[in-house]
Amino acid sequence: GAVVSQHPSWVICKSGTSVKIECRSLDFQATTMFWYRQFPKQSLMLMATSNEGSKATYEQGVEKDKFLINHASLTLSTLTVTSAHPEDSSFYICSARGQSALGEQYFGPGTRLTVT
Amino acid sequence: EDQVTQSPEALRLQEGESSSLNCSYTVSGLRGLFWYRQDPGKGPEFLFTLYSAGEEKEKERLKATLTKKESFLHITAPKPEDSATYLCAVQANTNAGKSTFGDGTTLTVKP
């Protein structure tokens, strides 16, 4: 149990375009989802926390107009990188926490974004 | 502010050579301490949750322990497939449910 999927697993886009990444909890309802960014050989950097039906809470320094997060249902959250630039190239990972979970997060496999 | 420090940064072991990874933490009211395993190019995989000092959890060759200031991940007779980055995270009773992650320990087990 506790499986989280992400789509796509990798994407290449041109500078100035927008990219949407989907995160789904497949076998549980996720009341809270998290979006992370990870640079090579570095730890996870939390970008935002989203609760179903509510606006996302962004970490300091993360541009909410650039990284749009929508948590429309208990099984789906999306991250849209708007007007992407090469510096947005990174590994993006989502995680989900269920209603009854006592804190542990279940992570998706990640999405590798390359902006050319 | 919650803080998590993991050591060593990297650890190289021979197959069968047991060792321990350390996670030191400071948190205002611990709700839980978590261990994850991350393979290159993949998302972290949940391993253990520890809630109170003295608690221990085991899974195959891994055993996690917790004190009031640190946690250890003991690896007994490791195999090459145990090679990965191990992440420790803490969650406070407050802080909106967010977890604070350490930078990880990259374990390499040579055959």
Side-chain angles (χ1 to χ4, degrees):
Chain A
V3 178
V4 176
S5 70
Q6 250 180 275
H7 179 80
S9 55
W10 61 270
V11 58
I12 301 172
C13 70
K14 292 190 175 181
S15 187
T17 61
S18 295
V19 173
K20 180 184 283 188
I21 302 170
E22 288 190 352
C23 176
R24 293 181 184 271
S25 56
L26 299 184
D27 52 3
F28 67 103
Q29 293 186 325
T31 51
T32 305
M33 285 187 168
F34 304 88
W35 286 95
Y36 294 86
R37 187 172 177 176
Q38 189 174 37
F39 293 102
K41 298 191 177 182
Q42 293 188 24
S43 192
L44 303 168
M45 184 189 82
L46 180 64
M47 298 175 66
T49 303
S50 72
N51 293 293
E52 185 262 340
S54 303
K55 287 186 177 180
T57 302
Y58 291 82
E59 294 300 298
Q60 194 170 13
V62 177
E63 299 175 60
K64 59 180 67 177
D65 294 331
K66 180 169 189 60
F67 298 99
L68 301 179
I69 292 171
N70 182 277
H71 192 162
S73 75
L74 286 173
T75 60
L76 174 64
S77 177
T78 61
L79 167 68
T80 302
V81 182
T82 62
S83 186
H85 289 96
E87 57 265 30
D88 298 324
S89 299
S90 190
F91 191 51
Y92 292 88
I93 312 174
C94 72
S95 72
R97 191 165 64 208
Q99 294 170 315
S100 61
L102 298 178
E104 66 269 17
Q105 297 174 43
Y106 295 93
F107 286 84
T111 296
R112 173 75 58 193
L113 170 63
T114 302
V115 184
T116 61
Chain B
E1 184 180 336
D2 303 335
Q3 287 192 330
V4 178
T5 303
Q6 290 188 246
S7 62
E9 185 175 317
L11 181 62
R12 296 170 68 91
L13 300 173
Q14 287 296 128
E15 184 173 1
E17 179 186 3
S18 302
S19 188
S20 297
L21 282 55
N22 177 265
C23 171
S24 298
Y25 66 91
T26 55
V27 64
S28 53
L30 179 69
R31 182 180 185 191
L33 183 142
F34 313 98
W35 282 98
Y36 298 88
R37 168 192 171 130
Q38 185 175 24
D39 292 301
K42 297 186 178 180
E45 172 191 350
F46 169 72
L47 293 174
F48 303 110
T49 306
L50 300 167
Y51 296 105
S52 57
E55 190 175 1
E56 298 183 354
K57 293 273 181 75
E58 284 190 67
K59 180 180 179 179
E60 296 181 355
R61 295 177 292 282
L62 301 176
K63 183 169 81 172
T65 61
L66 180 66
T67 71
K68 289 185 178 181
K69 295 183 178 181
E70 57 191 351
S71 177
F72 292 93
L73 184 64
H74 306 278
I75 302 177
T76 302
K79 298 182 177 181
E81 53 262 42
D82 295 323
S83 298
T85 295
Y86 291 86
L87 298 169
C88 172
V90 297
Q91 187 178 342
N93 286 323
T94 55
N95 204 20
K98 296 184 296 186
S99 292
T100 301
F101 281 82
D103 290 338
T105 293
T106 299
L107 173 67
T108 304
V109 182
K110 294 290 189 180

